[in-house]
Amino acid sequence: MALGTPERDRLIRIAQTGDPVAIDRLLAACQPDARRYAHRHCHASDVDDAVQESLLIVARKVGGLKAAAAFASWLFVVIRRECRRLSRLMLRHDPLTDELAEALMLARPDESLRIDLASALESLPPHYLEVVLLRDFEELTIAEIAARLGEQPGAVKSRLHRARELVREYMLGPR
């Protein structure tokens, strides 16, 4: 913080009383430090959100801080928690249930489905496309595909599963 220790502690004590001017000054004074700290602990795309959310938390909860000397470490804990929360949100992904995916497909016109399926298959890497074509179009068994490709059946199953997942993601992705 740009403020000297006695001035900072006085500002924190005033902010703890709920004085909106003191809270604004305190947040303005600690924002550069908060931003630098967030750059070290957050994904680059989350820095602004983490700082903003952290400063909102500080503004709401500064009154509960026991000692003004603990402010800086408390601020950094709040920022680090926000960075972790935003990171978890970024990685969270709720897959569609099979029933919902089927309903979405059935709601589309046949011609649109054909075009999108052809595009989805064309988007597959060659090693994935090959197993899909052998299994779903030539109707070979996993053992027959494994023998034809000189691969283990487990590897073929895995590749087929991943290929179908890619097609599904393509078909259900945003339009």
Side-chain angles (χ1 to χ4, degrees), residues 12 14-20 22-24 26-27 30 49-65 71 74-75 78 81-82 85:
I12 292 169
I14 296 169
Q16 286 178 303
T17 66
D19 182 331
I23 292 173
D24 285 345
L26 179 63
L27 296 179
C30 70
D49 291 337
V51 170
Q52 183 178 4
E53 290 298 320
S54 297
L55 293 179
L56 284 171
I57 291 168
V58 167
R60 281 194 324 261
K61 296 186 177 186
V62 71
L65 186 63
F71 178 80
W74 174 60
L75 172 66
V78 171
R81 284 183 182 156
E82 274 305 302
R85 184 185 70 78

Side-chain angles (χ1 to χ4, degrees), residues 14 28-29 51 63 70 106 140 144:
I14 296 169
V51 170
L106 290 174
L140 297 179
E144 292 169 333

Side-chain angles (χ1 to χ4, degrees), residues 99-157:
E99 293 80 24
L100 181 56
E102 186 176 338
L104 288 171
M105 289 296 146
L106 290 174
R108 295 176 57 196
D110 286 345
E111 188 59 30
S112 171
L113 274 176
R114 280 191 207 99
I115 291 169
D116 283 349
L117 181 57
S119 296
L121 290 172
E122 288 174 359
S123 76
L124 289 176
H127 63 285
Y128 287 143
L129 178 60
E130 184 176 36
V131 294
V132 169
L133 293 176
L134 291 172
R135 177 73 177 134
D136 296 334
F137 291 92
E138 291 189 29
E139 299 180 349
L140 297 179
T141 65
I142 297 295
E144 292 169 333
I145 296 170
R148 183 179 285 186
L149 298 177
E151 304 261 345
Q152 294 295 317
V156 171
K157 281 183 185 178

